[in-house]
């Protein structure tokens, strides 16, 4: 079970060169603000990509007389739609991580309640499992699939 503590949204100074480390108190104000900003920037980047996809799909209304061109157009359109769907799901995960930052559960493994390594969170800010729990989960998936 993840640890819960009351958090208040406050602006904390985080230097541009700051990188969370294992040697500091886990999920201190600076670390929490670092991940909050990282998630917001990632969300903004995805939103910009999504806008580009929508513009592409809306602007691509061309009548193709050649069946091969039609097939290529449809394949490109399907790829864009799948990409947009993946990005939409990723935004949901980012929003969920932002909510966990607000309620004080961000950074704690959903299965064990242990802190997730700051390096793992830096690489995958939406992580909900510690590396060990994730590996156990993946091993279980391989056993079920095999």
């Amino acid at each position: 079970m993840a640890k819960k503590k009351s958090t208040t949204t406050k602006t904390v100074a985080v230097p541009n060169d700051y990188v969370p480390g294992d040697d500091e108190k886990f999920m201190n104000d600076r670390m929490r603000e670092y991940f909050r900003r990282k998630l917001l920037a990632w969300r903004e980047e995805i939103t910009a990509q999504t806008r580009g996809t929508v513009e592409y799909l809306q602007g691509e209304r061309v009548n193709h007389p050649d069946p091969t061109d039609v097939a290529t157009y449809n394949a490109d359109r399907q790829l864009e739609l799948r990409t947009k769907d993946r990005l939409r799901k990723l935004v949901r995960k980012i929003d969920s991580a932002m909510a966990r930052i607000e309620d004080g559960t961000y950074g704690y493994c959903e299965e064990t309640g242990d802190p997730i390594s700051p390096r793992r969170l830096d690489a995958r800010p939406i992580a909900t499992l510690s590396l060990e729990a994730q590996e156990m989960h993946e091993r279980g998936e391989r056993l079920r699939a095999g």
Side-chain angles (χ1 to χ4, degrees):
M1 174 73 77
K3 295 181 180 183
K4 285 191 176 191
K5 63 180 178 178
S6 176
T7 59
T8 55
T9 305
K10 59 183 172 181
T11 304
V12 176
V14 179
N16 290 337
D17 62 346
Y18 171 76
V19 177
D22 294 328
D23 59 337
E24 61 186 304
K25 183 176 180 259
F26 187 70
M27 279 304 136
N28 61 53
D29 290 343
R30 186 188 316 191
M31 191 181 291
R32 210 172 16 261
E33 179 64 13
Y34 171 84
F35 286 116
R36 189 184 73 76
R37 288 182 185 177
K38 185 172 187 122
L39 288 161
L40 284 173
W42 194 12
R43 190 177 201 288
E44 288 174 19
E45 181 183 318
I46 291 169
T47 301
Q49 287 177 337
T50 302
R51 267 193 300 271
T53 300
V54 170
E55 290 168 7
Y56 168 79
L57 291 173
Q58 288 174 341
E60 240 343 86
R61 305 224 186 269
V62 180
N63 189 8
H64 300 287
D66 182 21
T68 304
D69 290 342
V70 171
T72 301
Y73 167 76
N74 287 336
D76 287 348
R77 189 170 170 80
Q78 286 299 320
L79 179 62
E80 286 294 327
L81 289 171
R82 277 195 306 269
T83 300
K84 186 173 191 251
D85 189 50
R86 271 191 221 108
L87 292 175
R88 183 183 51 80
K89 289 175 183 174
L90 185 54
V91 166
R92 256 195 261 142
K93 289 181 179 183
I94 291 170
D95 289 344
S96 176
M98 294 292 294
R100 290 191 310 276
I101 286 175
E102 291 303 315
D103 72 15
T105 61
Y106 180 81
Y108 293 94
C109 179
E110 288 182 345
E111 287 190 11
T112 66
D114 294 333
I116 299 172
S117 146
R119 285 184 297 167
R120 175 164 168 70
L121 289 171
D122 201 26
R124 187 76 174 158
I126 58 173
T128 58
L129 300 174
S130 65
L131 187 56
E132 296 79 15
Q134 182 68 40
E135 287 172 348
M136 284 178 32
H137 178 74
E138 289 173 3
R139 273 195 298 274
E141 289 291 318
R142 282 194 299 264
L143 288 174
R144 284 189 288 279

